[in-house]
Amino acid sequence: MNVFVFGLFSQTSIDSVSSESEMLLKTSTGEISGTLTISNNDKPSPIVLIIGGSGPTDRDGNSPLGLQTNAYKVLSESLAENGISSLRFDKHGIGKSKPAMTSESELRFETYFIRTIK
């Protein structure tokens, strides 16, 4: 069974519109690092999970292969300006989540999904 735990590390104010907190997801293959961007409005806000596309993409939408756009970071900031919070993360093997990568021959579908115990 996989164990998933979110931990709140630190919170930094980006501006008056939002604040960011470093998050950590503990999985059976290692720790996945991410950023939670919270809209600083007085109302409860919906939250969006930003999942990177194909290739070695970090939480901000950048790649060690030369793509440096900060597209996901800009997206999360724009969402916060519109009252929507977001969570984005480094993929397994990328950025601060580099140690969480396993050998491709060991990858299993079940490794990346939470099992519900009833």
Side-chain angles (χ1 to χ4, degrees), residues 90-110:
D90 294 330
K91 289 182 172 182
H92 288 79
I94 304 299
K96 291 182 181 178
S97 299
K98 191 169 189 160
M101 186 61 176
T102 59
S103 164
E104 285 188 31
S105 64
E106 296 174 15
L107 292 177
R108 299 293 179 265
F109 180 81
E110 296 82 17

Side-chain angles (χ1 to χ4, degrees), residues 66-80:
L67 182 65
Q68 301 297 310
T69 65
N70 283 329
Y72 301 147
K73 182 174 177 63
V74 171
L75 174 60
S76 69
E77 291 168 355
S78 295
L79 288 167

Side-chain angles (χ1 to χ4, degrees), residues 6-48:
F6 276 113
L8 187 61
F9 290 127
S10 64
Q11 187 171 354
T12 24
S13 181
I14 299 173
D15 51 37
S16 62
V17 175
S18 62
S19 58
E20 288 188 340
S21 299
E22 289 290 314
M23 302 298 292
L24 185 63
L25 173 65
K26 295 183 180 185
T27 73
S28 62
T29 62
E31 297 175 341
I32 304 299
S33 293
T35 301
L36 177 65
T37 304
I38 299 291
S39 175
N40 286 341
N41 60 26
D42 293 334
K43 302 174 186 174
S45 78
I47 186 166
V48 172

Side-chain angles (χ1 to χ4, degrees), residues 49-90:
L49 177 61
I50 299 173
I51 302 172
S54 62
T57 309
D58 71 11
R59 72 183 83 184
D60 293 332
N62 300 321
S63 169
L65 301 177
L67 182 65
Q68 301 297 310
T69 65
N70 283 329
Y72 301 147
K73 182 174 177 63
V74 171
L75 174 60
S76 69
E77 291 168 355
S78 295
L79 288 167
E81 289 174 9
N82 289 284
I84 302 170
S85 299
S86 63
L87 175 63
R88 60 190 196 278
F89 58 92
D90 294 330

